[in-house]
Amino acid sequence: MTIKIYRGKDCVHHDVSAEHPEHPDRLYAIDDQLLSSGLEMICQHGDAKQVKRENLALAHDPYYVDSIFQRSPRTGVIWLEQDTGMTPITLSAALYAAGAGCDAVDWVMEGEDRQAFCAVRPPGHHAEYDNAMGFCLFNNIVVAARYALKQYELSRVAIIDFDVHHGNGTENIIAGDKQIMMCSSFQHPFYPHTGSPVSASNILSAPIKAGATGEEFRKKVSYWFDALRNFMPQLILISAGFDAHAEDAMGQLRLREDDYHWISKQLRNVADEVCHGRIVSMLEGGYNHSALGRSVVAHIKGLHGDEQSH
Ligand SMILES: [Zn+2]
Protein backbone atom coordinates (compact mmCIF):
# COMPACT_ATOMS: atom_id res chain seq x y z
CA MET A 1 0.00 0.00 0.00
CA THR A 2 1.47 3.30 -1.02
CA ILE A 3 -1.07 5.92 0.10
CA LYS A 4 -0.18 7.96 3.15
CA ILE A 5 -2.64 10.32 4.85
CA TYR A 6 -1.12 13.31 6.61
CA ARG A 7 -2.87 15.12 9.45
CA GLY A 8 -1.79 18.18 11.44
CA LYS A 9 -2.05 18.28 15.22
CA ASP A 10 -4.02 21.54 15.55
CA CYS A 11 -5.96 21.37 12.28
CA VAL A 12 -9.12 20.21 14.10
CA HIS A 13 -8.84 22.98 16.69
CA HIS A 14 -9.07 25.98 14.35
CA ASP A 15 -12.68 27.05 14.88
CA VAL A 16 -13.73 30.66 14.24
CA SER A 17 -17.45 30.08 14.83
CA ALA A 18 -20.09 27.35 14.81
CA GLU A 19 -21.72 29.03 11.80
CA HIS A 20 -18.55 29.24 9.70
CA PRO A 21 -18.62 26.69 6.84
CA GLU A 22 -14.88 25.95 7.16
CA HIS A 23 -15.47 24.01 10.36
CA PRO A 24 -13.50 21.28 12.23
CA ASP A 25 -16.32 18.79 11.57
CA ARG A 26 -15.08 18.64 7.96
CA LEU A 27 -12.05 16.65 9.12
CA TYR A 28 -14.12 14.42 11.41
CA ALA A 29 -16.45 13.66 8.48
CA ILE A 30 -13.47 12.61 6.36
CA ASP A 31 -12.13 10.39 9.14
CA ASP A 32 -15.57 8.78 9.62
CA GLN A 33 -15.82 7.88 5.94
CA LEU A 34 -12.24 6.63 5.74
CA LEU A 35 -13.01 4.36 8.67
CA SER A 36 -16.31 3.01 7.36
CA SER A 37 -14.88 2.50 3.85
CA GLY A 38 -12.08 0.35 5.22
CA LEU A 39 -9.46 2.65 3.65
CA GLU A 40 -8.35 3.79 7.10
CA MET A 41 -7.05 0.28 7.76
CA ILE A 42 -4.88 0.12 4.67
CA CYS A 43 -3.54 3.68 4.42
CA GLN A 44 -0.38 4.72 6.20
CA HIS A 45 -0.58 7.57 8.72
CA GLY A 46 1.59 10.64 8.71
CA ASP A 47 1.80 13.21 11.50
CA ALA A 48 2.75 16.50 9.89
CA LYS A 49 5.31 18.86 11.34
CA GLN A 50 4.84 22.62 11.27
CA VAL A 51 6.19 24.28 8.16
CA LYS A 52 9.51 26.13 8.41
CA ARG A 53 9.22 29.87 7.95
CA GLU A 54 11.78 29.76 5.13
CA ASN A 55 9.47 27.42 3.21
CA LEU A 56 6.50 29.78 3.62
CA ALA A 57 8.73 32.42 2.02
CA LEU A 58 8.94 30.25 -1.12
CA ALA A 59 5.31 31.24 -1.81
CA HIS A 60 4.73 34.41 0.20
CA ASP A 61 6.12 37.87 0.83
CA PRO A 62 8.20 37.48 4.05
CA TYR A 63 6.58 40.70 5.35
CA TYR A 64 3.16 39.13 4.86
CA VAL A 65 4.27 36.01 6.77
CA ASP A 66 5.56 38.24 9.58
CA SER A 67 2.25 40.11 9.65
CA ILE A 68 0.29 36.87 10.11
CA PHE A 69 2.51 35.88 13.04
CA GLN A 70 2.11 39.35 14.54
CA ARG A 71 -1.68 39.46 14.16
CA SER A 72 -2.26 36.06 15.79
CA PRO A 73 -4.61 36.89 18.72
CA ARG A 74 -4.13 35.84 22.37
CA THR A 75 -7.89 35.54 22.87
CA GLY A 76 -11.03 35.71 20.75
CA VAL A 77 -11.18 35.97 16.97
CA ILE A 78 -9.66 38.56 14.66
CA TRP A 79 -10.65 38.85 11.00
CA LEU A 80 -7.96 39.23 8.33
CA GLU A 81 -10.78 39.89 5.85
CA GLN A 82 -14.50 39.18 5.87
CA ASP A 83 -14.23 35.38 5.46
CA THR A 84 -10.90 34.61 7.12
CA GLY A 85 -10.64 34.63 10.90
CA MET A 86 -7.85 33.77 13.33
CA THR A 87 -8.24 32.37 16.82
CA PRO A 88 -5.24 31.78 19.11
CA ILE A 89 -4.79 28.28 17.59
CA THR A 90 -5.25 29.23 13.92
CA LEU A 91 -1.63 30.11 13.25
CA SER A 92 -0.50 26.75 14.56
CA ALA A 93 -3.14 24.95 12.47
CA ALA A 94 -2.05 26.85 9.36
CA LEU A 95 1.61 25.97 10.03
CA TYR A 96 0.70 22.29 10.33
CA ALA A 97 -1.41 22.47 7.17
CA ALA A 98 1.44 23.93 5.12
CA GLY A 99 3.95 21.63 6.82
CA ALA A 100 1.90 18.58 5.83
CA GLY A 101 2.47 19.42 2.17
CA CYS A 102 6.25 19.58 2.64
CA ASP A 103 6.31 16.37 4.65
CA ALA A 104 4.16 14.66 2.02
CA VAL A 105 6.54 15.85 -0.70
CA ASP A 106 9.46 14.36 1.24
CA TRP A 107 7.74 11.02 1.59
CA VAL A 108 6.58 10.84 -2.02
CA MET A 109 9.95 11.92 -3.44
CA GLU A 110 12.00 9.54 -1.31
CA GLY A 111 10.47 6.49 -2.94
CA GLU A 112 8.61 5.43 -6.06
CA ASP A 113 4.93 4.79 -6.65
CA ARG A 114 3.86 6.82 -3.64
CA GLN A 115 0.81 9.04 -3.18
CA ALA A 116 -0.15 11.19 -0.21
CA PHE A 117 -3.34 12.98 0.84
CA CYS A 118 -3.14 15.81 3.38
CA ALA A 119 -6.36 15.99 5.42
CA VAL A 120 -5.59 19.46 6.71
CA ARG A 121 -7.18 22.86 7.26
CA PRO A 122 -7.27 25.82 6.96
CA PRO A 123 -7.20 25.43 3.17
CA GLY A 124 -4.78 27.41 1.03
CA HIS A 125 -5.61 28.06 -2.61
CA HIS A 126 -7.16 31.53 -2.16
CA ALA A 127 -4.13 32.87 -0.25
CA GLU A 128 -2.15 35.20 -2.51
CA TYR A 129 1.50 36.26 -2.37
CA ASP A 130 0.75 38.90 0.27
CA ASN A 131 -2.93 38.50 1.06
CA ALA A 132 -5.16 36.19 3.14
CA MET A 133 -8.50 35.41 1.53
CA GLY A 134 -11.40 32.94 1.39
CA PHE A 135 -10.59 30.97 4.61
CA CYS A 136 -6.92 30.69 3.54
CA LEU A 137 -3.83 32.11 5.29
CA PHE A 138 -0.95 30.32 3.58
CA ASN A 139 -1.03 28.77 0.11
CA ASN A 140 -0.33 25.18 1.13
CA ILE A 141 -0.12 23.77 -2.40
CA VAL A 142 2.31 26.41 -3.71
CA VAL A 143 4.49 26.03 -0.62
CA ALA A 144 4.59 22.27 -1.35
CA ALA A 145 5.29 22.81 -5.07
CA ARG A 146 8.10 25.31 -4.52
CA TYR A 147 9.53 23.18 -1.70
CA ALA A 148 9.65 20.18 -4.04
CA LEU A 149 11.37 22.21 -6.77
CA LYS A 150 14.00 23.48 -4.33
CA GLN A 151 14.58 20.50 -2.06
CA TYR A 152 14.72 17.88 -4.82
CA GLU A 153 16.13 20.15 -7.53
CA LEU A 154 13.19 19.44 -9.80
CA SER A 155 12.49 21.52 -12.87
CA ARG A 156 8.80 20.78 -13.50
CA VAL A 157 5.83 20.21 -11.19
CA ALA A 158 2.11 20.40 -11.97
CA ILE A 159 -0.73 21.63 -9.77
CA ILE A 160 -4.26 20.43 -10.53
CA ASP A 161 -7.06 22.33 -8.78
CA PHE A 162 -10.65 21.05 -9.12
CA ASP A 163 -12.23 23.03 -6.27
CA VAL A 164 -15.51 24.75 -7.28
CA HIS A 165 -13.82 28.09 -6.64
CA HIS A 166 -10.97 29.37 -8.78
CA GLY A 167 -7.61 29.05 -7.01
CA ASN A 168 -6.86 32.73 -7.40
CA GLY A 169 -4.06 32.64 -4.83
CA THR A 170 -2.25 29.81 -6.58
CA GLU A 171 -2.53 31.53 -9.95
CA ASN A 172 -1.46 34.84 -8.39
CA ILE A 173 1.76 33.32 -7.05
CA ILE A 174 2.78 30.99 -9.87
CA ALA A 175 1.63 32.90 -12.99
CA GLY A 176 4.60 33.02 -15.35
CA ASP A 177 6.62 30.46 -13.36
CA LYS A 178 7.77 28.11 -16.12
CA GLN A 179 8.59 25.36 -13.62
CA ILE A 180 4.94 25.02 -12.58
CA MET A 181 1.95 24.16 -14.76
CA MET A 182 -1.46 24.82 -13.18
CA CYS A 183 -4.58 23.07 -14.46
CA SER A 184 -7.64 24.59 -12.89
CA SER A 185 -11.39 23.94 -13.15
CA PHE A 186 -13.95 26.13 -11.41
CA GLN A 187 -17.48 27.42 -11.61
CA HIS A 188 -17.51 30.65 -13.63
CA PRO A 189 -18.68 33.31 -13.16
CA PHE A 190 -18.43 32.79 -9.39
CA TYR A 191 -16.37 33.76 -6.33
CA PRO A 192 -13.60 34.95 -6.44
CA HIS A 193 -14.39 36.22 -9.97
CA THR A 194 -10.94 35.46 -11.34
CA GLY A 195 -9.43 32.79 -13.60
CA SER A 196 -10.99 33.59 -16.96
CA PRO A 197 -9.17 34.67 -19.03
CA VAL A 198 -5.98 33.13 -17.65
CA SER A 199 -3.19 35.47 -16.59
CA ALA A 200 -0.20 33.54 -18.01
CA SER A 201 0.69 30.73 -20.41
CA ASN A 202 1.58 28.24 -17.66
CA ILE A 203 -2.08 28.17 -16.56
CA LEU A 204 -4.66 25.91 -18.19
CA SER A 205 -8.18 26.75 -17.14
CA ALA A 206 -11.57 25.08 -17.44
CA PRO A 207 -14.27 27.57 -16.43
CA ILE A 208 -17.61 25.78 -16.03
CA LYS A 209 -21.11 27.26 -15.94
CA ALA A 210 -23.38 26.87 -12.91
CA GLY A 211 -25.56 23.76 -13.12
CA ALA A 212 -23.03 21.69 -15.09
CA THR A 213 -22.89 17.95 -14.41
CA GLY A 214 -19.93 15.64 -14.06
CA GLU A 215 -20.24 14.76 -17.73
CA GLU A 216 -19.62 18.39 -18.70
CA PHE A 217 -16.80 18.63 -16.15
CA ARG A 218 -15.07 15.60 -17.70
CA LYS A 219 -15.34 17.07 -21.20
CA LYS A 220 -13.98 20.44 -20.05
CA VAL A 221 -10.90 19.06 -18.30
CA SER A 222 -10.04 16.24 -20.71
CA TYR A 223 -7.55 18.42 -22.62
CA TRP A 224 -5.38 18.63 -19.51
CA PHE A 225 -4.08 15.09 -19.67
CA ASP A 226 -2.17 15.37 -22.97
CA ALA A 227 -0.88 18.78 -21.88
CA LEU A 228 0.38 17.21 -18.66
CA ARG A 229 2.03 14.35 -20.56
CA ASN A 230 3.79 16.90 -22.79
CA PHE A 231 4.91 19.00 -19.79
CA MET A 232 6.22 15.85 -18.06
CA PRO A 233 5.96 16.99 -14.45
CA GLN A 234 8.30 15.22 -12.02
CA LEU A 235 5.61 15.47 -9.34
CA ILE A 236 1.85 16.05 -9.51
CA LEU A 237 0.19 18.10 -6.78
CA ILE A 238 -3.57 18.35 -6.35
CA SER A 239 -5.60 21.13 -4.73
CA ALA A 240 -8.44 18.77 -3.86
CA GLY A 241 -11.58 20.74 -3.15
CA PHE A 242 -14.85 18.83 -3.10
CA ASP A 243 -17.31 21.75 -3.08
CA ALA A 244 -18.27 21.15 -6.74
CA HIS A 245 -20.28 18.15 -5.46
CA ALA A 246 -24.00 18.26 -6.29
CA GLU A 247 -24.89 18.09 -2.59
CA ASP A 248 -22.59 20.98 -1.65
CA ALA A 249 -24.59 24.20 -1.32
CA MET A 250 -21.48 26.38 -1.55
CA GLY A 251 -21.42 26.08 -5.36
CA GLN A 252 -23.79 25.17 -8.16
CA LEU A 253 -21.90 22.42 -9.99
CA ARG A 254 -23.23 18.86 -9.88
CA LEU A 255 -20.28 16.53 -9.56
CA ARG A 256 -20.59 13.15 -7.82
CA GLU A 257 -18.14 10.82 -6.12
CA ASP A 258 -17.66 9.00 -9.44
CA ASP A 259 -16.35 12.22 -10.99
CA TYR A 260 -13.78 12.69 -8.23
CA HIS A 261 -12.78 9.06 -8.66
CA TRP A 262 -12.47 9.55 -12.40
CA ILE A 263 -10.27 12.66 -12.30
CA SER A 264 -8.10 11.11 -9.59
CA LYS A 265 -7.58 7.96 -11.61
CA GLN A 266 -6.76 9.96 -14.76
CA LEU A 267 -4.13 11.86 -12.80
CA ARG A 268 -2.76 8.63 -11.37
CA ASN A 269 -2.43 7.27 -14.91
CA VAL A 270 -0.51 10.37 -15.98
CA ALA A 271 1.66 10.16 -12.86
CA ASP A 272 2.45 6.51 -13.62
CA GLU A 273 3.59 7.50 -17.10
CA VAL A 274 5.64 10.59 -16.30
CA CYS A 275 6.64 10.75 -12.63
CA HIS A 276 6.82 7.27 -11.09
CA GLY A 277 3.26 7.61 -9.75
CA ARG A 278 4.20 10.47 -7.44
CA ILE A 279 1.18 12.52 -6.30
CA VAL A 280 0.64 14.83 -3.33
CA SER A 281 -2.98 15.89 -2.79
CA MET A 282 -4.09 18.53 -0.29
CA LEU A 283 -7.60 19.24 0.94
CA GLU A 284 -9.12 22.57 -0.09
CA GLY A 285 -12.93 23.10 0.04
CA GLY A 286 -15.90 20.79 0.58
CA TYR A 287 -18.63 21.90 2.98
CA ASN A 288 -21.37 19.28 2.85
CA HIS A 289 -19.83 16.92 5.37
CA SER A 290 -21.35 13.69 4.07
CA ALA A 291 -20.51 14.47 0.43
CA LEU A 292 -17.02 15.59 1.47
CA GLY A 293 -16.24 12.36 3.31
CA ARG A 294 -17.56 10.17 0.49
CA SER A 295 -15.73 12.22 -2.15
CA VAL A 296 -12.41 11.96 -0.30
CA VAL A 297 -12.84 8.17 -0.22
CA ALA A 298 -13.50 8.16 -3.99
CA HIS A 299 -10.49 10.45 -4.53
CA ILE A 300 -8.14 8.23 -2.55
CA LYS A 301 -9.39 5.10 -4.32
CA GLY A 302 -8.79 6.83 -7.65
CA LEU A 303 -5.29 7.91 -6.63
CA HIS A 304 -4.55 4.36 -5.60
CA GLY A 305 -5.86 3.01 -8.89
CA ASP A 306 -8.75 1.12 -7.26
CA GLU A 307 -12.12 0.80 -8.92
CA GLN A 308 -14.97 2.82 -7.47
CA SER A 309 -17.51 0.45 -5.94
CA HIS A 310 -21.19 1.34 -5.99
ZN1 LIG B 1 -13.87 26.11 -2.71
Coordinates of all heavy atoms in Angstrom, one line a residue, residues 50 117 144 185 198 209 295:
Q50 N 5.1 21.3 11.7 CA 4.8 22.6 11.3 C 5.8 23.0 10.2 O 7.0 22.7 10.2 CB 4.9 23.6 12.5 CG 3.8 23.4 13.4 CD 3.7 24.6 14.4 OE1 4.7 25.2 14.7 NE2 2.5 24.8 15.0
F117 N -2.2 12.1 0.7 CA -3.3 13.0 0.8 C -3.2 13.7 2.2 O -3.1 13.0 3.2 CB -4.7 12.2 0.8 CG -5.9 13.2 1.0 CD1 -6.2 14.1 0.0 CD2 -6.6 13.1 2.1 CE1 -7.3 14.9 0.2 CE2 -7.7 14.0 2.3 CZ -8.0 14.9 1.3
A144 N 4.2 23.6 -1.1 CA 4.6 22.3 -1.4 C 5.3 22.2 -2.7 O 6.3 21.5 -2.9 CB 3.4 21.3 -1.3
S185 N -10.0 23.9 -12.8 CA -11.4 23.9 -13.2 C -12.1 24.6 -12.0 O -11.8 24.5 -10.9 CB -12.0 22.5 -13.4 OG -11.9 21.8 -12.2
V198 N -7.1 33.4 -18.5 CA -6.0 33.1 -17.7 C -5.0 34.3 -17.7 O -5.0 35.1 -18.7 CB -5.3 31.8 -18.1 CG1 -6.2 30.6 -17.9 CG2 -4.8 31.9 -19.5
K209 N -19.9 26.5 -16.3 CA -21.1 27.3 -15.9 C -21.9 26.6 -14.8 O -21.9 25.3 -14.7 CB -22.0 27.4 -17.1 CG -21.6 28.4 -18.2 CD -22.7 28.7 -19.1 CE -22.3 29.8 -20.1 NZ -21.5 29.2 -21.2
S295 N -16.5 11.8 -1.0 CA -15.7 12.2 -2.1 C -14.2 12.0 -1.9 O -13.5 11.6 -2.8 CB -16.0 13.7 -2.5 OG -17.3 13.9 -2.8

